[in-house]
Amino acid sequence: GGLGVRSTARTAPAAYWASWADALEMIQLRNPDVAQRILDRLEGGTSPADGCLHELATCVELLRADGFDAIPRWHELASGTRPPPLPQPQDQFDRLPGWQYFASSSIEKTERTRVLLSMCRSARALLRSQAGPGGSAALEAVPTCRSCTLQPECFQALIRRRLRWPLPLADFRCACGQRIDELGDHHSACGRSGRVKARATPIERMVAQICREAGARVRINVKLRDLNVNTRASDERQIEVIASGLPVFGGAQLAVDVTLRSALDRCGQPRAQAHWKDGAVAEAARRDKETTYPELADGSRCRLVVLALETGGRFSAETVEFLRQLAEAKALAVPSYQRASAAIAFQRRWTRMLAVCAASSYTQSLLLSKDALGAVDHGVSRQPWLQAV
């Protein structure tokens, strides 16, 4: 459901098989005779008739049926064969996955494919927008400070939006003249109503605070003509956040542009590729920003960083990498024996701060009238001490 929690019923066969896969090596070392009898029954060509080994063989059949084809032979597991490392870790907090991770992931991927095939195109786009990096960060955040606290009204609206339930909207008709649907699709994507621009302002302030906590010198809403780039004096384009003095990206000045986009258009239809490709909306946002700021996209003195978020909660790969590099730069200021844990802690803090801010700003843009939306106070909390982080 996008909460980062897997079904225990589906994970049970993978967990049972993985427990045997991890234990066989120790059984082989401690009691080779017992290990040999187990291997003879498991590899004898016929399935064990009853008992725990019969259940184990049944779990292997279920795993193969769900797409987990990389199951080693039992004598290889008894010899200490371990799962291959991930080519590119998806989660910085789980760096060394075991057999259960690979087995249960195959089951979850098969189930996800089955669910997606049973959905309409719009529902597929929303599910993809609610999954992936950052998809559940706002709902998992512990309310230890104001920046990580999701108000009850916003929490309820966020859940109702995920479930495609009607929302308690304040307006009946949009500023563009069209009637507003009860699911919030029109308000999520209509640029003529002013809500899309209004919801981006709190996120820009949050990104500025994150950069300040990382040690950057920050300026906000800077016109492009005031930067050290080749542009006309009459150019009115502006960048939300300019961060300087960070030991990332080769020490270049960073022009950070923040955008929050919906996977559906204002008619409730999926945007291009959003129903079959993960992160398609965020990738399109990156291309649009490169077209808008070609001087920064090709520049070396000032680098364009696009923090593309989706209304479902998904972060772009560039956003995840940006927060990771900021956290590692921040961790350089602590003693060496604490740097790894400090980097993880800061990355978690900033990920949840950004996710909660985006979720709050988005849901408020759906629920409140335009006048009330402009009066909302989006204050930020103070940076905590290192031991609190």
Side-chain angles (χ1 to χ4, degrees):
L3 300 179
V5 180
R6 292 184 172 183
S7 167
T8 55
R10 287 198 301 270
T11 305
Y16 190 69
W17 172 82
S19 66
W20 277 93
D22 292 332
L24 271 179
E25 180 184 9
M26 186 57 63
I27 297 175
Q28 176 72 33
L29 293 175
R30 296 290 182 88
N31 201 325
D33 294 337
V34 173
Q36 187 60 45
R37 290 200 298 269
I38 293 174
L39 293 177
D40 291 341
R41 292 191 62 183
L42 291 175
E43 295 183 341
T46 59
S47 178
D50 54 10
C52 59
L53 295 184
H54 172 72
E55 296 176 356
L56 180 59
T58 303
C59 290
V60 172
E61 295 176 1
L62 292 174
L63 291 176
R64 287 201 174 99
D66 282 329
F68 185 42
D69 298 325
I71 301 180
R73 298 180 62 86
W74 291 112
H75 72 273
E76 294 175 347
L77 293 172
S79 301
T81 299
R82 299 303 302 159
L86 291 176
Q88 182 177 0
Q90 300 296 320
D91 190 344
Q92 296 296 324
F93 315 128
D94 294 326
R95 298 178 183 273
L96 297 174
W99 283 118
Q100 183 174 328
Y101 172 88
F102 289 93
S104 59
S105 294
S106 297
I107 295 176
E108 294 300 321
K109 289 177 182 177
T110 302
E111 179 64 19
R112 182 174 187 256
T113 302
R114 187 181 299 116
V115 171
L116 287 172
L117 292 176
S118 67
M119 290 178 164
C120 65
R121 288 158 53 97
S122 297
R124 292 182 200 174
L126 282 179
L127 182 62
R128 293 182 183 276
S129 179
Q130 295 163 4
S136 60
L139 300 173
E140 294 175 338
V142 179
T144 54
C145 63
R146 183 177 181 181
S147 300
C148 294
T149 301
L150 201 61
Q151 297 302 320
E153 184 183 24
C154 294
F155 177 82
Q156 185 194 65
L158 192 63
I159 295 298
R160 295 180 75 91
R161 174 69 178 165
R162 283 173 171 254
L163 296 175
R164 300 292 281 167
W165 286 0
L167 298 174
L169 304 177
D171 295 333
F172 173 77
R173 195 168 293 276
C174 181
C176 68
Q178 294 189 16
R179 183 173 178 176
I180 301 171
D181 65 288
E182 61 182 7
L183 300 178
D185 293 337
H186 186 90
H187 273 342
S188 298
C190 181
R192 297 175 60 185
S193 65
R195 295 173 180 270
V196 174
K197 182 175 179 59
R199 74 191 184 197
T201 302
I203 308 176
E204 295 164 4
R205 294 174 183 171
M206 181 58 66
V207 171
Q209 179 188 353
I210 291 173
C211 291
R212 290 192 184 98
E213 290 188 8
R217 300 186 304 273
V218 176
R219 293 182 294 163
I220 60 175
N221 297 327
V222 180
K223 292 188 181 298
L224 200 62
R225 67 192 182 200
D226 296 332
L227 297 176
N228 191 15
V229 295
N230 186 17
T231 183
R232 300 188 304 271
S234 59
D235 197 332
E236 293 295 328
R237 292 174 297 168
Q238 66 179 19
I239 296 293
E240 288 84 356
V241 179
I242 300 294
S244 306
L246 289 172
V248 296
F249 301 109
Q253 186 182 57
L254 303 180
V256 185
D257 193 289
V258 186
T259 180
L260 177 64
R261 299 197 176 188
S262 173
L264 305 181
D265 59 21
R266 59 183 183 177
C267 297
Q269 298 301 314
R271 298 188 184 275
Q273 301 181 350
H275 66 286
W276 62 269
K277 184 178 181 181
D278 294 333
V281 177
E283 293 179 4
R286 172 70 193 193
R287 293 192 295 268
D288 293 344
K289 296 301 180 180
E290 290 179 351
T291 304
T292 305
Y293 307 107
E295 303 89 349
L296 300 178
D298 300 329
S300 57
R301 290 173 295 184
C302 187
R303 175 167 180 164
L304 176 64
V305 177
V306 180
L307 303 186
L309 315 178
E310 298 185 15
T311 54
R314 187 184 186 94
F315 288 9
S316 67
E318 184 175 6
T319 303
V320 176
E321 178 65 14
F322 179 71
L323 295 176
R324 185 191 67 80
Q325 293 202 32
L326 286 187
E328 291 183 353
K330 178 71 173 179
L332 293 176
V334 304
S336 58
Y337 58 87
Q338 290 183 335
R339 285 176 185 171
S341 58
I344 293 176
F346 278 113
Q347 184 178 359
R348 282 178 173 173
R349 167 178 166 80
W350 293 336
T351 297
R352 290 167 182 173
M353 285 170 56
L354 184 59
V356 168
C357 181
S360 299
S361 178
Y362 170 60
T363 52
Q364 287 170 353
S365 70
L366 298 179
L367 301 180
L368 303 181
S369 64
K370 190 174 181 180
D371 295 336
L373 184 61
V376 175
D377 179 20
H378 292 280
V380 294
S381 59
R382 294 179 55 188
Q383 178 180 355
W385 295 100
L386 177 61
Q387 59 265 31
V389 174

PDB file of all heavy atoms in Angstrom, residues 7 23 55 86 129 134 161 197 221 234 247 297 302 323 343 365 373 376:
ATOM      1  N   SER A   7       3.590  -7.833   3.115  1.00  0.00           N
ATOM      2  CA  SER A   7       2.609  -8.778   3.636  1.00  0.00           C
ATOM      3  C   SER A   7       3.322  -9.968   4.266  1.00  0.00           C
ATOM      4  O   SER A   7       4.127 -10.636   3.615  1.00  0.00           O
ATOM      5  CB  SER A   7       1.692  -9.259   2.502  1.00  0.00           C
ATOM      6  OG  SER A   7       0.937 -10.379   2.894  1.00  0.00           O
ATOM      7  N   ALA A  23      20.930 -21.457   7.732  1.00  0.00           N
ATOM      8  CA  ALA A  23      21.322 -22.373   8.812  1.00  0.00           C
ATOM      9  C   ALA A  23      22.100 -23.591   8.324  1.00  0.00           C
ATOM     10  O   ALA A  23      22.813 -24.223   9.118  1.00  0.00           O
ATOM     11  CB  ALA A  23      20.076 -22.843   9.570  1.00  0.00           C
ATOM     12  N   GLU A  55       7.645 -29.282   4.135  1.00  0.00           N
ATOM     13  CA  GLU A  55       7.221 -27.880   4.072  1.00  0.00           C
ATOM     14  C   GLU A  55       8.271 -27.026   3.363  1.00  0.00           C
ATOM     15  O   GLU A  55       7.940 -26.106   2.617  1.00  0.00           O
ATOM     16  CB  GLU A  55       6.985 -27.356   5.482  1.00  0.00           C
ATOM     17  CG  GLU A  55       5.836 -28.057   6.211  1.00  0.00           C
ATOM     18  CD  GLU A  55       5.703 -27.585   7.638  1.00  0.00           C
ATOM     19  OE1 GLU A  55       6.553 -26.782   8.071  1.00  0.00           O
ATOM     20  OE2 GLU A  55       4.748 -28.007   8.318  1.00  0.00           O
ATOM     21  N   LEU A  86      24.012  -6.313  -4.298  1.00  0.00           N
ATOM     22  CA  LEU A  86      23.196  -5.503  -5.195  1.00  0.00           C
ATOM     23  C   LEU A  86      24.093  -4.655  -6.082  1.00  0.00           C
ATOM     24  O   LEU A  86      25.062  -4.047  -5.594  1.00  0.00           O
ATOM     25  CB  LEU A  86      22.258  -4.596  -4.392  1.00  0.00           C
ATOM     26  CG  LEU A  86      21.129  -5.295  -3.622  1.00  0.00           C
ATOM     27  CD1 LEU A  86      20.356  -4.274  -2.803  1.00  0.00           C
ATOM     28  CD2 LEU A  86      20.193  -6.009  -4.568  1.00  0.00           C
ATOM     29  N   SER A 129       3.326   6.354  -8.623  1.00  0.00           N
ATOM     30  CA  SER A 129       3.713   7.619  -8.006  1.00  0.00           C
ATOM     31  C   SER A 129       3.809   7.499  -6.490  1.00  0.00           C
ATOM     32  O   SER A 129       4.542   8.257  -5.859  1.00  0.00           O
ATOM     33  CB  SER A 129       2.697   8.703  -8.377  1.00  0.00           C
ATOM     34  OG  SER A 129       3.019   9.942  -7.778  1.00  0.00           O
ATOM     35  N   GLY A 134      11.150   7.512  -1.295  1.00  0.00           N
ATOM     36  CA  GLY A 134      10.380   8.586  -0.678  1.00  0.00           C
ATOM     37  C   GLY A 134       8.889   8.364  -0.653  1.00  0.00           C
ATOM     38  O   GLY A 134       8.162   9.181  -0.080  1.00  0.00           O
ATOM     39  N   ARG A 161      -6.597  10.304  -0.489  1.00  0.00           N
ATOM     40  CA  ARG A 161      -6.101  10.493  -1.847  1.00  0.00           C
ATOM     41  C   ARG A 161      -5.476   9.205  -2.380  1.00  0.00           C
ATOM     42  O   ARG A 161      -5.669   8.835  -3.541  1.00  0.00           O
ATOM     43  CB  ARG A 161      -5.080  11.636  -1.855  1.00  0.00           C
ATOM     44  CG  ARG A 161      -4.360  11.861  -3.177  1.00  0.00           C
ATOM     45  CD  ARG A 161      -5.258  12.396  -4.247  1.00  0.00           C
ATOM     46  NE  ARG A 161      -4.512  12.641  -5.475  1.00  0.00           N
ATOM     47  CZ  ARG A 161      -5.056  12.837  -6.659  1.00  0.00           C
ATOM     48  NH1 ARG A 161      -6.374  12.834  -6.798  1.00  0.00           N
ATOM     49  NH2 ARG A 161      -4.303  13.051  -7.719  1.00  0.00           N
ATOM     50  N   LYS A 197       1.541  26.625  -8.108  1.00  0.00           N
ATOM     51  CA  LYS A 197       2.636  27.513  -7.725  1.00  0.00           C
ATOM     52  C   LYS A 197       2.662  27.748  -6.219  1.00  0.00           C
ATOM     53  O   LYS A 197       3.723  27.798  -5.598  1.00  0.00           O
ATOM     54  CB  LYS A 197       2.507  28.850  -8.462  1.00  0.00           C
ATOM     55  CG  LYS A 197       3.638  29.826  -8.169  1.00  0.00           C
ATOM     56  CD  LYS A 197       3.529  31.064  -9.018  1.00  0.00           C
ATOM     57  CE  LYS A 197       4.644  32.049  -8.699  1.00  0.00           C
ATOM     58  NZ  LYS A 197       5.976  31.455  -8.927  1.00  0.00           N
ATOM     59  N   ASN A 221      15.095  32.711  -4.480  1.00  0.00           N
ATOM     60  CA  ASN A 221      14.425  33.495  -5.525  1.00  0.00           C
ATOM     61  C   ASN A 221      15.384  34.493  -6.177  1.00  0.00           C
ATOM     62  O   ASN A 221      15.173  35.702  -6.190  1.00  0.00           O
ATOM     63  CB  ASN A 221      13.213  34.228  -4.952  1.00  0.00           C
ATOM     64  CG  ASN A 221      12.155  33.268  -4.436  1.00  0.00           C
ATOM     65  OD1 ASN A 221      11.978  32.180  -4.976  1.00  0.00           O
ATOM     66  ND2 ASN A 221      11.461  33.657  -3.380  1.00  0.00           N
ATOM     67  N   SER A 234      17.654  41.771 -19.333  1.00  0.00           N
ATOM     68  CA  SER A 234      16.198  41.842 -19.178  1.00  0.00           C
ATOM     69  C   SER A 234      15.574  40.500 -18.816  1.00  0.00           C
ATOM     70  O   SER A 234      14.352  40.393 -18.747  1.00  0.00           O
ATOM     71  CB  SER A 234      15.568  42.366 -20.471  1.00  0.00           C
ATOM     72  OG  SER A 234      15.883  41.513 -21.564  1.00  0.00           O
ATOM     73  N   PRO A 247      30.896  21.033  -0.276  1.00  0.00           N
ATOM     74  CA  PRO A 247      31.936  20.180  -0.879  1.00  0.00           C
ATOM     75  C   PRO A 247      31.352  19.031  -1.687  1.00  0.00           C
ATOM     76  O   PRO A 247      31.815  17.895  -1.598  1.00  0.00           O
ATOM     77  CB  PRO A 247      32.692  19.668   0.356  1.00  0.00           C
ATOM     78  CG  PRO A 247      31.660  19.595   1.410  1.00  0.00           C
ATOM     79  CD  PRO A 247      30.716  20.755   1.156  1.00  0.00           C
ATOM     80  N   ALA A 297      22.030  24.058 -17.471  1.00  0.00           N
ATOM     81  CA  ALA A 297      22.151  22.633 -17.796  1.00  0.00           C
ATOM     82  C   ALA A 297      23.506  22.313 -18.393  1.00  0.00           C
ATOM     83  O   ALA A 297      24.047  21.211 -18.187  1.00  0.00           O
ATOM     84  CB  ALA A 297      21.036  22.217 -18.753  1.00  0.00           C
ATOM     85  N   CYS A 302      27.971  27.059 -12.425  1.00  0.00           N
ATOM     86  CA  CYS A 302      26.725  26.933 -11.662  1.00  0.00           C
ATOM     87  C   CYS A 302      25.975  25.710 -12.188  1.00  0.00           C
ATOM     88  O   CYS A 302      25.643  25.662 -13.372  1.00  0.00           O
ATOM     89  CB  CYS A 302      25.872  28.203 -11.792  1.00  0.00           C
ATOM     90  SG  CYS A 302      24.419  28.226 -10.740  1.00  0.00           S
ATOM     91  N   LEU A 323      20.304  14.462  -1.615  1.00  0.00           N
ATOM     92  CA  LEU A 323      20.226  14.374  -0.160  1.00  0.00           C
ATOM     93  C   LEU A 323      21.333  13.494   0.399  1.00  0.00           C
ATOM     94  O   LEU A 323      21.884  13.777   1.475  1.00  0.00           O
ATOM     95  CB  LEU A 323      18.861  13.827   0.253  1.00  0.00           C
ATOM     96  CG  LEU A 323      17.649  14.719  -0.073  1.00  0.00           C
ATOM     97  CD1 LEU A 323      16.357  14.018   0.305  1.00  0.00           C
ATOM     98  CD2 LEU A 323      17.748  16.066   0.634  1.00  0.00           C
ATOM     99  N   ALA A 343      25.834  10.323   8.700  1.00  0.00           N
ATOM    100  CA  ALA A 343      25.352  10.519   7.332  1.00  0.00           C
ATOM    101  C   ALA A 343      23.984   9.873   7.139  1.00  0.00           C
ATOM    102  O   ALA A 343      23.076  10.470   6.532  1.00  0.00           O
ATOM    103  CB  ALA A 343      26.363   9.941   6.338  1.00  0.00           C
ATOM    104  N   SER A 365      -3.228  22.350  -0.484  1.00  0.00           N
ATOM    105  CA  SER A 365      -3.631  22.956  -1.750  1.00  0.00           C
ATOM    106  C   SER A 365      -4.901  22.321  -2.302  1.00  0.00           C
ATOM    107  O   SER A 365      -5.593  22.927  -3.126  1.00  0.00           O
ATOM    108  CB  SER A 365      -2.502  22.829  -2.775  1.00  0.00           C
ATOM    109  OG  SER A 365      -2.328  21.492  -3.202  1.00  0.00           O
ATOM    110  N   LEU A 373      -5.298  29.357   1.588  1.00  0.00           N
ATOM    111  CA  LEU A 373      -4.026  28.714   1.264  1.00  0.00           C
ATOM    112  C   LEU A 373      -2.873  29.688   1.397  1.00  0.00           C
ATOM    113  O   LEU A 373      -1.789  29.336   1.855  1.00  0.00           O
ATOM    114  CB  LEU A 373      -4.085  28.146  -0.152  1.00  0.00           C
ATOM    115  CG  LEU A 373      -2.869  27.348  -0.637  1.00  0.00           C
ATOM    116  CD1 LEU A 373      -2.644  26.127   0.246  1.00  0.00           C
ATOM    117  CD2 LEU A 373      -3.064  26.909  -2.082  1.00  0.00           C
ATOM    118  N   VAL A 376      -1.585  30.248   5.196  1.00  0.00           N
ATOM    119  CA  VAL A 376      -1.055  29.142   6.000  1.00  0.00           C
ATOM    120  C   VAL A 376       0.387  29.440   6.398  1.00  0.00           C
ATOM    121  O   VAL A 376       1.197  29.889   5.577  1.00  0.00           O
ATOM    122  CB  VAL A 376      -1.134  27.818   5.217  1.00  0.00           C
ATOM    123  CG1 VAL A 376      -0.471  26.695   6.002  1.00  0.00           C
ATOM    124  CG2 VAL A 376      -2.583  27.467   4.932  1.00  0.00           C
TER     125      VAL A 376
END
